[in-house]
Amino acid sequence: MSILFRHRTGWLSALLTLALLISFGSRAQADAPKAGQVAASKRVKELLSAMTLEEKLGQLTQRPGGMRSDDNPEVARTKLEDLKTEIREGRVGSLLGAFGAEYINDLQRVAVEESKHGIPLIIGNDIIHGCRTTFPIPLAEAASWDPTLVERSAHIAAVEAAASGTDWTFAPMVDICRDPRWGRVAEGSGEDPYLGAQMAAARVRGFQGRDLRAPDSLLACAKHFAAYGAPEAGKDYNTVDISLATFFEVHLPPFRAAVDAGVGTLMSAFNEINGVPATANRFLMTDILRRQWGFEGFVVSDWTAVTELVAHGYARDDADAAALAIHAGVDMDMTSQAYRTHLAKAVDEARIDIRTIDDAVRRVLMGKESIGLFENPYTDTTLHDKVILCDEHRHAARESAGRSMVLLKNEGAVLPLNSSVKKIALIGPLADNQRELLGTWASIGKAEDVIAIRTALTEAVGDGVEVAYAKGCDIEGGDTSGIAGAVEVANKSDVAIVVVGEAAGMSGEASCRSNIDLPGHQLELVKAIQATGKPVVVLVASGRPLAIPWVAENVPAIVQIWHPGVEGGHAVADVVLGKINPSAKLPITIPRNVGQVPIYYAHKSTGRPPTDQFFTSKYRDVPWTPLYPFGFGLSYTTFEYTGMTLSQSKMKPGESITASATVTNTGKVAGDEIVQLYIRDKVGSRTRPVRQLRGFKRVSLAPGESQTVEFKLTEKDLAYWDNKFGFEAEPGEFVVWIAPNSADGLSAEFELIEQQRN
Ligand code: NOJ
């Protein structure tokens, strides 16, 4: 008999199971049951009863609000006047892409003072990893395994964006991704739902702060709901065909964590899920999100995702698409204009109940109310200059970048560079680059603000050490003429640092790659430098894990620096010179080649787990292990794990078990270790992954120092999706690891025993 996990809800579960059995979605009909009824304030009630249907649909409409920099002044003026007319007439409730406090205040004044009901606009923007102070890409920050650090970065982004007139960020992106070909892997927290959930909650806390009405907070938006990170073949916008178990266990937990952390909004995804596009998916946005999770905020579609229902082959035309999306639970239409164009007719024809529209408007207006927009619609224009790119923010960005860099290899302790090094060859297309270090979705970040690696290193080493630079080759492209010059520079040096990787635009939306090797001739450059016989350090600047098997095999030192943001150069100098001892761990597996993809640590065992035997699950032309496993990362010191113990060998439902182990710094310098807790449910009524992360802790240890690290496990940590709508732990044996990464560690076993009936 199974032990039910407590927050399962009986009737709801049955209802949802029924919904599941019927279909993963359901088509719009006028008499649909209501869900997600949000209590309205007095103001919102009054507004709702005073507004016309057209004005209501205006509140559900989001329009681009920025003027393009290449518009000629006359075109820009006309566009601005048209936009103001729309606002004045109450045909738009939200703008995206508008920046600058004065500009936004000007538009807001039209909404507040010149429209009939004076409802303020809500201004949304993609504040993904910083505003003007660009932090490392989210994937990089997830490598810090430090929710407090991540929360601080999100808060700083909020401070700067709010001072620039933004109310609402389309972040965090909490999509789990196990396929590094997908360009948007850069924007998420990697492959694991547990780590992803911690990061999701931290970012929501950071953006929203303690008081959503404060002038330094943003309304957050967990996106893209859901499973956008699981497109076939890692190709953006592609079909998602997924088991419900994987959907519930892997892709939904970070959204649930964001909702539990109080996220104000969600964004519906572009993709379909098992035949029903997310943006028309009532099961997702009404049954799960509102009924089961109790979410009270509002849902915005992704950009034109409503009318894309037609291209999906799910809606007949734009009018059908609008009806399907609002019925499913999408409250605001991002840019397609289908709601304001077609929903009045749908209401007239009784296809959509006016109460469905009212529910959506109530949620949007309550969202505006929750951030204090009615009382305070304008941005204080004096704030911007005080906060943008201030020293405190730069300092935080530097710390985040340093904490995100993963030391993958350090044979012969090449790093940190020691005082005998008098001449450094700094080589590679990313060594003296500013723009690409910003990474994808850098908001209003500017290349000129970025501290390049060459600048920072030259300054940090001081007068006694020479930094000689050679680009070697481009990031992409066929020109190899610079390689000989780079070799010459390396030949005259004590050590060569080669900075290779990807341009910012090689990851991010629609920027998927079918090949995840180093682009262009960069590997040739690394090989040529390695052939000089000098000690070589390779720094990989990228928006995704890159397959670098030759580098891993041949080069003594490698650091994954990701796209580290505005302070990237300083952080690299900190790491290379030992001012920072690396502590980051991979939030995603690094494959040996693209053919291994998808490859992730929490895979199933199969009936024939890989061994040297022929008829086992593996490829014949590549080892079955990844190049670097999830959770892996080295330090300039070494750590030893000893004395794994469990507080008991049997656990009853309702009890907890404590796993502990001692971690000792066995090296010569102080360092931080991220200690990880994994479990395996040995036998399940559905097969279970070979390992699952269930906890992590950072310990800071002086040389020779030890600390006992404890983790408490409860039934909740052992539970998995029960084929209905709850999570359930089954009696049986479990393995627990306390580990430095997902492939190593100390283990012990215990048994979860059945509740005795009286
Ligand atoms: C499309 C992207 O998928 C989404 O993440 C973003 O927030 C919107 N565009 C708005 O820029």
Side-chain angles (χ1 to χ4, degrees):
M1 201 204 74
S2 63
I3 299 161
L4 292 186
F5 185 52
R6 271 159 302 284
H7 64 60
R8 240 179 111 196
T9 43
W11 67 269
L12 198 54
S13 168
L15 190 77
L16 293 173
T17 307
L18 189 65
L20 175 69
L21 291 175
I22 296 167
S23 111
F24 204 64
S26 70
R27 297 223 149 221
Q29 44 191 274
D31 59 352
K34 291 278 131 334
Q37 294 272 11
V38 171
S41 63
K42 182 164 171 285
R43 177 193 351 248
V44 169
K45 272 190 200 142
E46 284 168 7
L47 279 171
L48 267 170
S49 58
M51 289 162 86
T52 63
L53 179 54
E54 281 66 27
E55 286 161 350
K56 288 176 182 172
L57 296 175
Q59 287 304 310
L60 306 185
T61 297
Q62 183 177 62
R63 298 274 286 134
M67 293 302 129
R68 284 174 33 168
S69 52
D70 56 354
D71 280 341
N72 81 37
E74 190 46 35
V75 174
R77 202 188 57 76
T78 317
K79 277 191 180 168
L80 186 60
E81 280 318 309
D82 290 350
L83 183 60
K84 285 184 173 175
T85 304
E86 284 186 37
I87 298 168
R88 196 172 291 119
E89 291 173 355
R91 288 194 286 129
V92 54
S94 174
L95 300 178
L96 81 167
F99 258 99
E102 281 90 1
Y103 173 69
I104 290 168
N105 282 348
D106 183 38
L107 296 172
Q108 193 68 291
R109 199 160 288 116
V110 178
V112 172
E113 293 175 18
E114 298 175 27
S115 76
K116 188 163 113 205
H117 300 290
I119 302 172
L121 298 161
I122 181 165
I123 310 295
N125 276 307
D126 289 280
I127 309 297
I128 309 294
H129 54 112
C131 183
R132 177 78 179 266
T133 306
T134 309
F135 281 77
I137 54 168
L139 182 64
E141 277 208 324
S144 73
W145 294 53
D146 189 337
T148 311
L149 186 96
V150 165
E151 181 176 334
R152 182 182 66 180
S153 308
H155 172 67
I156 289 173
V159 169
E160 293 193 2
S164 313
T166 299
D167 304 307
W168 175 25
T169 175
F170 304 127
M173 188 192 100
V174 305
D175 299 307
I176 296 299
C177 171
R178 294 174 163 187
D179 189 332
R181 291 173 296 182
W182 191 51
R184 301 198 82 170
V185 63
E187 286 178 61
S189 296
E191 74 181 45
D192 185 67
Y194 182 90
L195 181 62
Q198 302 290 318
M199 293 298 150
R203 291 196 167 107
V204 170
R205 289 194 301 269
F207 286 130
Q208 297 198 160
R210 258 185 240 113
D211 177 8
L212 264 174
R213 291 167 183 260
D216 61 355
S217 72
L218 295 179
L219 193 63
C221 179
K223 69 185 188 186
H224 307 81
F225 199 48
Y228 180 50
E232 277 178 5
K235 198 170 59 177
D236 213 359
Y237 319 119
N238 206 8
T239 307
V240 173
D241 195 19
I242 196 172
S243 80
L244 285 171
T246 301
F247 186 64
F248 276 90
E249 290 175 12
V250 176
H251 294 276
L252 289 189
F255 286 99
R256 179 69 200 253
V259 169
D260 289 346
V263 73
T265 70
L266 266 79
M267 184 184 292
S268 73
F270 284 128
N271 53 283
E272 70 157 72
I273 308 157
N274 301 342
V276 180
T279 297
N281 208 313
R282 186 171 164 86
F283 172 68
L284 198 57
M285 287 176 291
T286 298
D287 296 337
I288 295 177
L289 179 64
R290 296 193 165 106
R291 284 188 176 143
Q292 204 190 16
W293 296 356
F295 174 68
E296 294 197 336
F298 69 90
V299 175
V300 63
S301 77
D302 205 338
W303 184 286
T304 64
V306 174
T307 45
E308 287 172 27
L309 295 174
V310 178
H312 272 289
Y314 194 74
R316 282 186 304 279
D317 51 26
D318 289 357
D320 194 28
L324 287 165
I326 191 114
H327 170 75
V330 174
D331 302 305
M332 187 181 279
D333 171 8
M334 183 189 282
T335 71
S336 91
Q337 304 193 54
Y339 278 18
R340 71 175 187 188
T341 312
H342 300 289
L343 284 182
K345 189 154 177 266
V347 171
D348 277 353
E349 290 172 352
R351 172 155 189 207
I352 292 295
D353 193 319
I354 184 66
R355 285 173 302 177
T356 303
I357 309 286
D358 284 351
D359 286 344
V361 177
R362 188 181 306 111
R363 291 193 284 251
V364 168
L365 294 181
M366 286 307 292
K368 292 185 176 184
E369 179 121 308
S370 74
I371 60 173
L373 261 186
F374 288 97
E375 288 81 11
N376 255 320
Y378 302 112
T379 303
D380 176 352
T381 52
T382 64
L383 280 179
H384 178 272
D385 291 351
K386 293 182 196 145
V387 298
I388 291 288
L389 215 56
C390 64
D391 287 352
E392 186 198 334
H393 294 181
R394 272 196 175 276
H395 180 80
R398 179 173 182 164
E399 195 183 342
S400 286
R403 290 261 197 129
S404 304
M405 294 179 179
V406 188
L407 181 65
L408 294 175
K409 189 175 176 191
N410 196 17
E411 227 170 60
V414 177
L415 289 175
L417 301 184
N418 63 40
S419 53
S420 69
V421 170
K422 295 292 172 222
K423 197 157 183 190
I424 301 171
L426 182 65
I427 291 165
L430 288 143
D432 192 23
N433 186 295
Q434 292 174 288
R435 176 165 302 282
E436 310 307 342
L437 297 197
L438 286 172
T440 182
W441 270 127
S443 180
I444 55 166
K446 286 191 170 36
E448 72 222 40
D449 300 335
V450 176
I451 309 295
I453 294 170
R454 182 184 183 187
T455 313
L457 197 62
T458 308
E459 181 194 291
V461 292
D463 287 343
V465 180
E466 189 192 336
V467 177
Y469 165 73
K471 186 175 175 192
C473 64
D474 290 328
I475 295 172
E476 290 183 280
D479 184 6
T480 53
S481 60
I483 294 183
V487 167
E488 236 172 83
V489 170
N491 271 327
K492 290 188 205 135
S493 69
D494 301 322
V495 63
I497 299 177
V498 191
V499 194
V500 289
E502 296 182 312
M506 295 178 79
S507 59
E509 188 176 349
S511 295
C512 305
R513 294 182 63 202
S514 65
N515 171 346
I516 54 167
D517 297 345
L518 281 171
H521 286 278
Q522 296 182 83
L523 182 57
E524 210 176 313
L525 174 67
V526 175
K527 285 182 176 175
I529 303 304
Q530 174 69 13
T532 63
K534 300 287 178 180
V536 176
V537 176
V538 165
L539 307 181
V540 184
S542 62
R544 58 163 62 75
L546 295 181
I548 47 164
W550 191 92
V551 182
E553 176 88 3
N554 295 284
V555 171
I558 308 170
V559 188
Q560 174 70 46
I561 66 167
W562 315 102
H563 286 142
V566 81
E567 283 287 315
H570 281 146
V572 163
D574 292 343
V575 167
V576 163
L577 301 175
K579 201 167 156 195
I580 284 185
N581 185 355
S583 59
K585 304 262 190 175
L586 292 173
I588 188 163
T589 304
I590 300 189
R592 292 173 189 274
N593 63 28
V594 77
Q596 286 188 312
V597 169
I599 181 168
Y600 48 94
Y601 84 93
H603 59 81
K604 299 292 188 72
S605 167
T606 80
R608 294 189 176 193
T611 65
D612 290 334
Q613 296 297 308
F614 186 74
F615 290 105
T616 59
S617 179
K618 59 182 187 294
Y619 299 101
R620 71 192 301 279
D621 55 356
V622 67
W624 65 75
T625 52
L627 194 58
Y628 295 104
F630 173 85
F632 178 82
L634 300 172
S635 161
Y636 294 151
T637 188
T638 45
F639 298 100
E640 190 186 20
Y641 287 58
T642 53
M644 168 93 188
T645 52
L646 293 179
S647 57
Q648 57 205 76
S649 59
K650 291 192 191 308
M651 173 177 153
K652 290 195 201 114
E655 289 182 351
S656 66
I657 213 163
T658 302
S660 56
T662 301
V663 181
T664 304
N665 180 344
T666 49
K668 295 195 178 64
V669 291
D672 283 9
E673 169 73 339
I674 296 156
V675 185
Q676 300 157 40
L677 178 83
Y678 294 90
I679 62 151
R680 177 172 183 173
D681 184 345
K682 286 172 78 176
V683 179
S685 53
R686 260 189 305 107
T687 59
R688 307 304 304 138
V690 295
R691 275 199 193 200
Q692 288 179 285
L693 183 70
R694 282 294 178 266
F696 58 86
K697 278 184 184 165
R698 175 183 291 266
V699 289
S700 304
L701 297 172
E705 196 187 353
S706 294
Q707 197 173 312
T708 299
V709 185
E710 289 190 351
F711 294 94
K712 199 162 111 178
L713 278 166
T714 67
E715 205 184 327
K716 184 178 170 194
D717 300 305
L718 311 178
Y720 64 96
W721 189 63
D722 65 359
N723 271 329
K724 297 179 202 86
F725 286 89
F727 279 71
E728 183 178 313
E730 286 181 332
E733 290 173 354
F734 289 82
V735 189
V736 187
W737 288 265
I738 294 186
N741 63 66
S742 63
D744 291 315
L746 303 175
S747 67
E749 296 196 14
F750 73 92
E751 190 184 352
L752 177 65
I753 55 175
E754 262 181 52
Q755 181 81 63
Q756 294 303 313
R757 283 177 186 278
N758 293 325

